[in-house]
């Protein structure tokens, strides 16, 4: 039996979803809440298998509820339910550990299937959505660490550029041919979206100051 908890601030929606799910032999709705506060208080006590969470709630949102309750119940599958296709909300839901994200316009049979899918430990996120999430994560990492795309060798060369060394001097320091260093420099400039060596030197100097300060 799949035990489900419903969170939606619209009572009519909750009743409709509860009736739909309770009609299934293998699904039981064990609790409901209309606010984030009530959900966070009740879900840990009831320990459902699946929480169907409205993204927008009067005192918060389903994403926060998902993050909060899964910190204590890591095996809980959270299925986000929303009226709007919102990329930001989807990203936040995935980062909070949600197993799936469906629109309220979904057909009843599809919602039942979605509950069964996430209850079995599977994700409802399609490959395209997953790829978009990973790309966004990479972009965030790059913003936090501007050198994220560089190899260790390229980072070392960037440090030496920051010290004002020429390609020949870098080659002597790192036991590399001057032409090899030139190729490394071209690659790192491309990865950093820079055109000039002076830009790389300025970045290296700034990062050195950040590490000191």
């Amino acid at each position: 039996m799949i035990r489900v908890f419903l969170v939606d601030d619209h009572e009519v929606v909750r009743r409709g979803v509860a009736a739909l799910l309770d009609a299934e032999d293998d699904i039981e709705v064990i609790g409901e809440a209309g606010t984030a506060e009530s959900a966070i208080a009740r879900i840990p006590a009831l320990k459902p298998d699946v929480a169907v969470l409205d993204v927008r709630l009067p005192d918060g949102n389903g994403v926060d509820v998902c993050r909060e309750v899964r910190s204590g119940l890591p095996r809980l599958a959270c299925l986000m339910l929303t009226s709007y296709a919102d990329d930001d909300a989807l990203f936040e839901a995935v980062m909070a550990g949600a197993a799936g994200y469906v629109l309220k316009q979904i057909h009843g049979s599809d919602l039942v299937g979605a509950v069964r899918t996430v209850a079995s430990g599977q994700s409802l996120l399609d490959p395209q959505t997953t790829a978009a999430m990973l790309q966004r994560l990479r972009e965030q990492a790059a913003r936090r660490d501007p050198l994220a795309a560089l190899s260790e060798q390229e980072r070392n060369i960037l440090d030496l550029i920051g010290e004002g060394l020429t390609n020949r001097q870098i080659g002597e320091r790192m036991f590399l041919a001057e032409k090899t260093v030139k190729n490394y420099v071209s690659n790192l400039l491309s990865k950093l979206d820079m055109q000039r060596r002076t830009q790389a030197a300025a970045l290296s100097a700034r990062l050195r100051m950040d590490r000191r300060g």
Side-chain angles (χ1 to χ4, degrees):
M1 185 66 72
I2 301 170
R3 292 155 47 86
V4 178
F5 192 98
L6 302 177
V7 183
D8 196 296
D9 58 331
H10 294 99
E11 184 181 0
V12 173
V13 173
R14 288 203 313 274
R15 286 187 176 182
V17 174
L20 175 74
L21 296 178
D22 274 332
E24 301 297 318
D25 293 338
D26 60 336
I27 300 175
E28 177 188 9
V29 176
I30 60 170
E32 301 177 18
T35 64
E37 182 181 10
S38 176
I40 290 170
R42 298 192 62 206
I43 289 175
L46 293 172
K47 294 182 173 59
D49 303 304
V50 177
V52 179
L53 305 168
D54 189 5
V55 169
R56 290 173 174 79
L57 296 168
D59 61 337
N61 62 67
V63 174
D64 292 336
V65 174
C66 174
R67 185 180 297 107
E68 179 72 22
V69 296
R70 290 193 79 256
S71 66
L73 299 171
R75 299 187 65 168
L76 172 68
C78 291
L79 181 62
M80 312 308 296
L81 193 60
T82 182
S83 302
Y84 313 97
D86 184 334
D87 287 345
D88 287 336
L90 171 56
F91 178 74
E92 291 172 6
V94 172
M95 295 307 296
Y101 187 100
V102 295
L103 297 178
K104 287 184 179 178
Q105 294 91 324
I106 190 173
H107 292 295
S109 59
D110 290 337
L111 179 58
V112 171
V115 168
R116 289 189 178 121
T117 296
V118 298
S120 70
Q122 299 178 66
S123 170
L124 259 185
L125 299 171
D126 59 82
Q128 185 176 356
T129 300
T130 303
M133 294 299 104
L134 292 174
Q135 177 61 28
R136 189 158 171 176
L137 284 172
R138 283 192 289 268
E139 290 171 357
Q140 283 193 348
R143 283 196 291 272
R144 287 193 298 270
D145 178 8
L147 307 185
L150 301 187
S151 67
E152 184 177 354
Q153 190 83 309
E154 288 166 345
R155 289 181 185 226
N156 292 335
I157 289 174
L158 179 64
D159 284 340
L160 297 177
I161 290 174
E163 292 179 20
L165 273 63
T166 65
N167 286 352
R168 177 174 293 182
Q169 291 169 326
I170 292 173
E172 291 171 354
R173 179 82 65 89
M174 299 184 68
F175 305 103
L176 295 171
E178 184 177 352
K179 185 177 180 181
T180 302
V181 174
K182 185 177 180 180
N183 289 337
Y184 273 121
V185 172
S186 295
N187 287 338
L188 72 85
L189 289 177
S190 177
K191 289 180 179 181
L192 295 173
D193 196 24
M194 294 176 175
Q195 284 76 45
R196 296 186 299 277
R197 188 188 187 95
T198 51
Q199 292 174 292
L203 173 63
S204 177
R206 178 171 63 79
L207 293 173
R208 194 178 299 116
M209 288 179 64
D210 289 346
R211 287 196 291 267
R212 290 172 183 166

